[in-house]
Amino acid sequence: MVLDTIVKNGLIVTESGVLPAGQSIGISNGKISVIGYDLVESPHTKIIDAEGAYITPGGVDSHVHLAQSNAPTGDNWETGTRSAVAGGTTTVLAFTSQTKEMPTLFPVLEEYHNKARGQAYCDYGFHFIITKPNPTILQQELPLLVKEGITSVKLYMTYELYKLSDHELLDTLLACRSLGMTTMIHAENGDMIQFLVEGLERNGNTAPFFHAIAGPKIAEDEASYRAIRLAELVDAPVLLVHVSADGAMKHIRDAQTRLLPIHAETCPHYLFLLSDRLANKEHDHFHGAKGVCSPPFRHNVEDLEALWRGIANDTFTVFSSDHAPSKYDHPQGKKVGIINGIPKFSKIPKGIPGIETRLSLLFSESEGCVPKERARLSLARFVQLTSGNPSRLYGLPQKGFILPGFDADLVIWHAGDKGERTISQVNLHHDVDYTPFEGMRVRNWPRFTMLRGEIVWNADENMVSGVKGFGQFIKRKTGRVLVGKTGQLPAGMMEGERKFWLPKKKD
């Protein structure tokens, strides 16, 4: 076997743990060909010395917003994926979105393909945001999307431009279940939030901090419980995205205990940041707008600790960035929320950058950086959350694992304390003018990122060494249910009761 590249002297991390030391990874034609001892080098084999550092699978960030029309100052495909590889992410899944006046999905899908084509530094796929699930879309277009390799949708329970009624949610859940599509849900009670926004504005409380008041935990708790119950009624697997509250997490955990197929995602900002960031007046009275996202940051350290427990105890299935940036110092960015000189939190574009910092923030709290007794999670759990589970859940057939036959997507970390760094906007590669994690110290940062056997980030030379356009669109398969199982019956429902109201199968 002729190997193009051998990565040696590293500690290979899998979902089962760290493999015995001394093994190398042999790569041919962009794939992992062999893992073992004493691999044979040819005169043309490139050798990468990991110098005793950990090697993890390339990160899969399954919740990313790029080149979206509602964020004209945010990252496009070039800048967002450049930032991704600099932080160890080799695959991103981003959103193309239907708006309510669109009767069909395919024109906007083609437009989004055109935005991404030839622009990406990493591999990528699409989710579809559904805002008007008419019968044509559910019965005719979703099956065509699956054939095109787009096997997941996102649904909203808030935002007037996006939210679905419970009836629409049920229709869509049922259609997606029949096709094996992964269904993501943004669970917040939009009416609760609008009620609070109106009251806050009536009383003149419109500064950025009041965004955290307008989206309380109870709004997420209620919607999460309702989403779980709707999914249970039609026996549909779902993923609740960007979970930020302990109450929502408890509903999810209870459902999982009953073996319902309820998956959950959280994000770095809900593990590290609190609502006091929105009251920050370090530079000006509007500075807190940099932290406006939904759900908002929570108020208490106890909220962070609850989510860390969910990371450790398997409540969360995936760990994503929800990278949804808008520039701060730009009239079409966050400062849209200044109207006649007055801050209006409800008008501030929601979302924060995080695609580049996601892996290092979590890895820094793992056994790869701190003693086992103080670590927030094991190295195996880190791999599961950041690559293995999103690959399974979203049907990425060649991603997420260091195994022969899989794409040679690798993150080679720094050995010892050589990778310590302070997160700073000046060192990041996105096209946004701030990071919410400014000044935070992480214990390690990727030394090399490899995509299909090629080094695309080289910290030794402090450069993105990949080429724009090297990233490829991934035609995904349908995902797998990773938690619980389908076929459960809600309390009080007779066996076979669903057949009386489920659509009849066509001959």
Side-chain angles (χ1 to χ4, degrees):
M1 181 185 298
V2 177
L3 299 173
D4 300 326
T5 304
I6 294 176
V7 182
K8 66 179 185 179
N9 295 333
L11 297 171
I12 302 168
V13 186
T14 72
E15 291 181 325
S16 300
V18 182
L19 299 185
Q23 298 189 69
S24 300
I25 302 170
I27 299 168
S28 297
N29 299 318
K31 301 283 187 183
I32 298 171
S33 295
V34 62
I35 299 171
Y37 300 97
D38 301 321
L39 301 187
V40 178
E41 304 173 14
S42 78
H44 304 290
T45 302
K46 180 180 179 180
I47 305 299
I48 299 175
D49 188 348
E51 300 180 353
Y54 290 109
I55 305 171
T56 59
V60 178
D61 195 342
S62 54
H63 192 148
V64 170
H65 299 266
L66 298 174
Q68 296 205 284
S69 57
N70 64 346
T73 68
D75 277 306
N76 58 28
W77 278 92
E78 176 184 354
T79 62
T81 57
R82 179 183 67 200
S83 187
V85 298
T89 291
T90 51
T91 305
V92 299
L93 298 179
F95 296 91
T96 184
S97 180
Q98 177 200 28
T99 56
K100 288 189 180 289
E101 72 275 6
M102 294 178 182
T104 178
L105 304 179
F106 287 98
V108 69
L109 173 59
E110 183 57 30
E111 178 186 354
Y112 205 56
H113 266 301
N114 289 336
K115 289 180 178 180
R117 192 176 290 115
Q119 299 297 306
Y121 282 84
C122 68
D123 290 347
Y124 63 94
F126 300 156
H127 309 291
F128 223 114
I129 294 172
I130 305 293
T131 62
K132 196 68 175 176
N134 61 52
T136 299
I137 287 172
L138 296 182
Q139 296 167 21
Q140 299 177 27
E141 296 195 356
L142 287 187
L144 294 176
L145 285 184
V146 172
K147 291 181 180 179
E148 293 293 319
I150 300 169
T151 57
S152 49
V153 302
K154 184 180 180 183
L155 312 177
Y156 284 84
M157 301 174 76
T158 187
Y159 305 145
E160 284 302 318
L161 293 176
Y162 295 97
K163 74 176 181 180
L164 305 184
S165 68
D166 286 357
H167 196 297
E168 290 173 319
L169 287 166
L170 288 167
D171 284 338
T172 310
L173 285 168
L174 198 57
C176 290
R177 187 210 188 287
S178 69
L179 295 167
M181 300 184 81
T182 302
T183 306
M184 311 158 75
I185 297 181
H186 178 144
E188 287 185 286
N189 185 308
D191 288 335
M192 277 188 186
I193 292 170
Q194 185 57 33
F195 172 81
L196 293 172
V197 168
E198 291 170 2
L200 288 163
E201 291 182 342
R202 186 171 56 246
N203 293 342
N205 296 315
T206 61
F209 173 74
F210 292 102
H211 172 69
I213 305 299
K217 292 198 297 183
I218 191 173
E220 185 179 356
D221 295 351
E222 187 281 330
S224 298
Y225 180 81
R226 182 159 41 99
I228 291 168
R229 287 305 203 186
L230 293 173
E232 185 178 11
L233 178 67
V234 294
D235 192 26
V238 297
L239 169 74
L240 298 186
V241 296
H242 46 54
V243 173
S244 72
D246 55 352
M249 195 177 78
K250 182 178 185 300
H251 297 320
I252 293 162
R253 189 69 172 174
D254 288 347
Q256 292 170 345
T257 300
R258 294 191 291 121
L259 297 183
L260 294 177
I262 306 299
H263 307 87
E265 167 200 272
T266 196
C267 310
H269 37 287
Y270 300 122
L271 299 177
F272 291 98
L273 305 178
L274 293 171
S275 63
D276 58 2
R277 293 293 184 107
L278 278 67
N280 189 336
K281 298 179 181 179
E282 179 182 349
H283 300 293
D284 58 57
H285 67 293
F286 196 63
H287 194 74
K290 293 180 177 181
V292 169
C293 62
S294 290
F297 303 158
R298 299 307 175 190
H299 300 315
N300 302 310
V301 172
E302 289 78 13
D303 294 304
L304 308 183
E305 292 301 318
L307 296 183
W308 276 114
R309 287 194 294 275
I311 286 285
N313 69 16
D314 288 2
T315 299
F316 290 113
T317 317
V318 294
F319 180 74
S320 307
S321 69
D322 193 8
H323 180 80
S326 292
K327 287 186 173 69
Y328 172 69
D329 194 14
H330 193 289
Q332 291 181 288
K334 294 286 188 179
K335 290 192 174 179
V336 165
I338 299 177
I339 301 182
N340 297 324
I342 299 173
K344 297 280 188 179
F345 73 84
S346 63
K347 306 300 182 185
I348 298 170
K350 297 174 179 62
I352 57 176
I355 197 169
E356 190 168 343
T357 49
R358 174 185 72 115
L359 287 186
S360 288
L361 285 165
L362 191 64
F363 191 79
S364 187
E365 300 297 321
S366 77
E367 292 175 359
C369 294
V370 294
K372 185 174 182 178
E373 62 273 15
R374 291 197 293 113
R376 299 279 198 173
L377 70 163
S378 68
L379 281 166
R381 180 74 172 133
F382 171 84
V383 168
Q384 183 186 59
L385 285 165
T386 60
S387 53
N389 275 355
S391 293
R392 294 187 190 94
L393 186 66
Y394 292 107
L396 291 160
Q398 299 297 322
K399 301 294 184 181
F401 301 92
I402 302 179
L403 287 171
F406 282 77
D407 285 356
D409 296 354
L410 306 173
V411 179
I412 303 171
W413 298 84
H414 286 85
D417 59 2
K418 294 179 181 178
E420 286 190 13
R421 69 159 65 181
T422 299
I423 295 174
S424 174
Q425 165 64 18
V426 299
N427 295 323
L428 299 179
H429 296 80
H430 56 210
D431 186 29
V432 193
D433 54 4
Y434 76 98
T435 170
F437 305 105
E438 185 74 39
M440 289 186 60
R441 189 76 176 167
V442 290
R443 299 180 179 93
N444 211 328
W445 192 273
R447 180 184 172 206
F448 300 122
T449 304
M450 298 182 69
L451 173 61
R452 288 182 272 115
E454 299 293 329
I455 295 177
V456 292
W457 161 251
N458 185 334
D460 289 356
E461 298 178 8
N462 193 30
M463 64 178 291
V464 173
S465 52
V467 178
K468 182 179 75 170
F470 184 59
Q472 300 176 351
F473 174 74
I474 301 173
K475 192 172 181 179
R476 292 184 288 129
K477 300 181 181 298
T478 53
R480 290 167 50 187
V481 172
L482 305 183
V483 176
K485 58 184 179 179
T486 56
Q488 308 295 306
L489 288 175
M493 186 178 283
M494 297 184 298
E495 188 71 38
E497 187 172 325
R498 289 189 178 102
K499 71 181 181 183
F500 295 113
W501 48 264
L502 280 173
K504 293 183 179 179
K505 293 182 179 179
K506 296 179 182 179
D507 295 331

